[in-house]
């Protein structure tokens, strides 16, 4: 898979301390393992990677990298415990590429600097994999900054 990265996006990556190879590796891992979200309507994918203290998401089409976003919060699991039954009222626009299940919009417990709160996640109920959308990641960034400020 040869993913193109526009110069503009590449500059944004550099500004945020990412290497192009790092992002391409996240995508390559997602493609080989199948562990990614795929749009139910279209060919956009979201791959997840990074380290324990920083989760990195790459949004891409088969030909081009579209966006990269991150959060520092760790996702502990579903708020209120595991799902007993799948409720498709919470169906998102995404499906788990690994098992084909529709990803659900469910609250997950997120923890950062000793504070744990529920927040909206995208969950594969079969694989128990958790993802965060780019919009939620923006909100998390603000929450992270507030917690960092309190600590400082
Ligand atoms: Zn799955």
């Amino acid at each position: 898979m040869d993913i193109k990265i526009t110069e503009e996006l590449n500059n944004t990556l550099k500004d945020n301390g990412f290497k192009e190879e790092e992002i391409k590796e996240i995508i390559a891992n997602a493609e080989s393992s199948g562990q990614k979200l795929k749009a139910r309507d279209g060919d956009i994918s979201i791959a997840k990677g990074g380290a324990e203290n920083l989760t990195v998401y790459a949004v891409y089409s088969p030909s081009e990298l579209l966006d990269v976003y991150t959060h520092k919060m760790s996702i502990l699991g579903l708020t209120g415990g595991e799902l007993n039954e799948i409720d498709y009222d919470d169906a998102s626009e995404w499906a788990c590429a690994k098992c084909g299940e529709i990803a659900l919009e469910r609250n997950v417990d997120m923890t950062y600097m000793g504070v744990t709160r529920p927040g909206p996640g995208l969950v594969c109920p079969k694989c128990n994999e958790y993802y965060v959308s780019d919009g939620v990641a923006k909100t998390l960034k603000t929450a992270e900054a507030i917690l960092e400020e309190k600590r400082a």
Side-chain angles (χ1 to χ4, degrees), residues 125-143:
K126 278 194 183 158
C127 304
N128 287 316
E129 278 293 334
Y130 312 108
Y131 300 80
V132 160
S133 70
D134 57 347
V136 172
K138 279 193 193 108
T139 312
L140 293 182
K141 205 163 211 169
T142 310

Side-chain angles (χ1 to χ4, degrees), residues 96-101 124-129:
C96 172
K98 196 166 193 174
C99 69
E101 189 61 76
C124 172
K126 278 194 183 158
C127 304
N128 287 316
E129 278 293 334

Side-chain angles (χ1 to χ4, degrees), residues 40-86:
R40 290 166 63 197
D41 182 19
D43 57 6
I44 308 294
S45 298
I46 302 178
K48 183 178 68 164
E52 201 179 319
N53 51 3
L54 188 73
T55 309
V56 181
Y57 298 85
V59 186
Y60 59 101
S61 74
S63 60
E64 194 182 8
L65 183 69
L66 303 171
D67 192 18
V68 169
Y69 59 91
T70 64
H71 60 76
K72 294 183 198 165
M73 298 215 183
S74 306
I75 299 177
L76 299 176
L78 280 169
T79 304
E82 297 308 313
L83 293 170
N84 293 319
E85 55 187 82
I86 297 171

Side-chain angles (χ1 to χ4, degrees), residues 90-148:
D90 300 327
S92 74
E93 293 167 14
W94 302 93
C96 172
K98 196 166 193 174
C99 69
E101 189 61 76
I102 293 169
L104 305 176
E105 293 177 353
R106 298 293 294 252
N107 270 0
V108 292
D109 285 334
M110 303 181 185
T111 189
Y112 185 58
M113 297 185 89
V115 177
T116 304
R117 288 218 179 89
L122 295 167
V123 179
C124 172
K126 278 194 183 158
C127 304
N128 287 316
E129 278 293 334
Y130 312 108
Y131 300 80
V132 160
S133 70
D134 57 347
V136 172
K138 279 193 193 108
T139 312
L140 293 182
K141 205 163 211 169
T142 310
E144 287 161 0
I146 291 168
L147 289 171
E148 285 161 10

